[in-house]
Amino acid sequence: MDYREYLKDKKRIVIKIGSSSLTHRETGRLNLTKMEVLVREISDLCNQGKEVVVVSSGAIGVGSAALGLGGKPQRVEQKQACAAIGQARLMMIYQKLFAEYNQTAGQILMTKNTMVNHLNRRNAQNTFEELLKMRVIPIVNENDTISTYEIQFGDNDTLSAIVSALIRADLLILLSDIDGLFTDDPRKNPQAEFVSLVENMDEHYMKMGKNTTGSQVGTGGMATKLEAARIATGAGADMVIANGADFHIIHRIMGGRPEGTLFLANPKEEFYLIDYIDQLVNP
Ligand code: GLU
């Protein structure tokens, strides 16, 4: 069975872009050439009649580069200030580039509280639905400026999986600086083998996660990506982890080409998003 063929028919897609895929490593500033490709790829999916939600990192990194801080800010207050600057810049560029392709982008900033609070969660869900009905592309990030330690998602891998579950997406694509899942960390173990298909996201695969990321800018490592896979597949979405070095990979994934690791949806009756969020808040 060629599961990749089914990706062509996906209708509601969440695409998560890591900070390292959006910025120049040397300066931390936005890589505009790459962003143009990203926006063109997404616009073309919309032109095909698909609904696309983007979960974009980069607020803190872009803010920090704008201030010339050099590297990742350490203190929470500093991160929050950087996010206030960077998020606005990020959106300005997205709006401008999407407008060139006749698309409208909207911003949704979330915190854990958005998901935990019943009313907030319903509001967020309604907003997503309404934006998608209007053919607007929601661009999501954590509301880093106000989310303090207790309420933060922490990384956008988890956030993108939660968004997928919330809006009942049928596909989640995580684009970062890794090719997909390996049996071990390929940066440390040359024997590590690439895993192209995960039919059932179980403990065996969870253990392959490493709490590391090769990038200086992102937050999530393989472990958070596998946690995202557990949420997304459990909620009924397929998920692909692939390398965001070249965003043309998006149409190759959507065209059924064997890029990255595909995790098959495995909807679990016992999977309740709200129970999951509760665990995150009260571990
Ligand atoms: N929300 C953070 C930002 O936009 C990124 C979190 C992450 O790297 O996953 O800067």
Side-chain angles (χ1 to χ4, degrees):
M1 170 107 63
D2 188 359
Y3 294 111
R4 296 280 178 166
E5 281 292 308
Y6 290 121
L7 298 188
K8 293 179 180 169
D9 300 324
K10 299 294 180 184
K11 288 264 173 321
R12 186 170 278 195
I13 304 144
V14 176
I15 302 182
K16 183 257 170 178
I17 318 289
S19 308
S20 59
S21 308
L22 279 181
T23 51
H24 289 286
R25 194 180 326 167
E26 302 77 16
T27 60
R29 288 177 181 262
L30 284 172
N31 185 330
L32 296 173
T33 312
K34 284 192 71 181
M35 281 188 85
E36 276 179 4
V37 176
L38 173 68
V39 166
R40 193 166 62 231
E41 289 277 319
I42 294 171
S43 298
D44 198 44
L45 289 178
C46 295
N47 286 352
Q48 292 166 37
K50 298 184 189 297
E51 298 171 327
V52 185
V53 171
V54 182
V55 176
S56 176
S57 303
I60 298 173
V62 170
S64 153
L67 293 172
L69 294 185
K72 262 190 195 176
Q74 294 303 320
R75 281 185 303 115
V76 174
E77 296 81 356
Q78 231 178 358
K79 286 185 190 167
Q80 291 177 314
C82 286
I85 297 156
Q87 180 64 26
R89 282 208 176 194
L90 206 51
M91 279 313 293
M92 187 176 68
I93 309 272
Y94 274 125
Q95 298 271 20
K96 181 177 179 297
L97 294 178
F98 274 117
E100 287 179 15
Y101 294 99
N102 240 349
Q103 306 286 348
T104 306
Q107 171 180 264
I108 299 190
L109 298 179
M110 301 172 73
T111 64
K112 264 186 196 166
N113 272 353
T114 319
M115 300 302 295
V116 175
N117 180 289
H118 186 63
L119 192 63
N120 285 356
R121 192 175 66 254
R122 287 293 299 275
N123 277 333
Q125 209 166 18
N126 290 341
T127 309
F128 274 113
E129 288 300 335
E130 203 57 35
L131 287 171
L132 292 173
K133 213 189 288 169
M134 295 168 167
R135 318 295 319 166
V136 171
I137 301 159
I139 301 185
V140 185
N141 198 355
E142 183 171 357
N143 196 349
D144 294 313
T145 303
I146 58 154
S147 49
T148 47
Y149 180 72
E150 305 78 46
I151 55 167
Q152 71 191 359
F153 282 109
D155 65 84
N156 280 356
D157 295 327
T158 314
L159 174 62
S160 61
I162 288 173
V163 167
S164 301
L166 182 73
I167 65 168
R168 303 201 176 287
D170 46 16
L171 177 64
L172 167 63
I173 302 178
L174 293 190
L175 296 177
S176 77
D177 53 358
I178 45 174
D179 292 332
L181 178 64
F182 287 82
T183 49
D184 196 2
D185 188 342
R187 289 179 252 241
K188 295 184 188 137
N189 179 359
Q191 312 290 325
E193 280 171 33
F194 187 71
V195 181
S196 65
L197 178 69
V198 173
E199 295 197 37
N200 195 356
M201 191 55 211
D202 55 18
E203 282 310 310
H204 167 68
Y205 289 107
M206 287 306 285
K207 286 205 189 97
M208 292 181 190
K210 296 278 178 223
N211 262 325
T212 53
T213 167
S215 93
Q216 293 301 306
V217 277
T219 314
M222 201 59 204
T224 65
K225 288 179 179 54
L226 292 177
E227 188 56 29
R230 207 164 64 86
I231 304 168
T233 58
D238 282 352
M239 183 177 123
V240 174
I241 300 181
N243 200 318
D246 174 6
F247 289 128
H248 290 107
I249 200 168
I250 295 175
H251 74 251
R252 296 201 294 270
I253 293 169
M254 295 308 299
R257 304 265 287 276
E259 300 282 0
T261 303
L262 169 63
F263 298 79
L264 293 185
N266 197 356
K268 298 214 178 352
E269 289 202 5
E270 72 277 17
F271 182 87
Y272 289 111
L273 183 58
I274 193 62
D275 289 348
Y276 180 81
I277 306 276
D278 270 345
Q279 279 173 35
L280 284 182
V281 180
N282 308 305

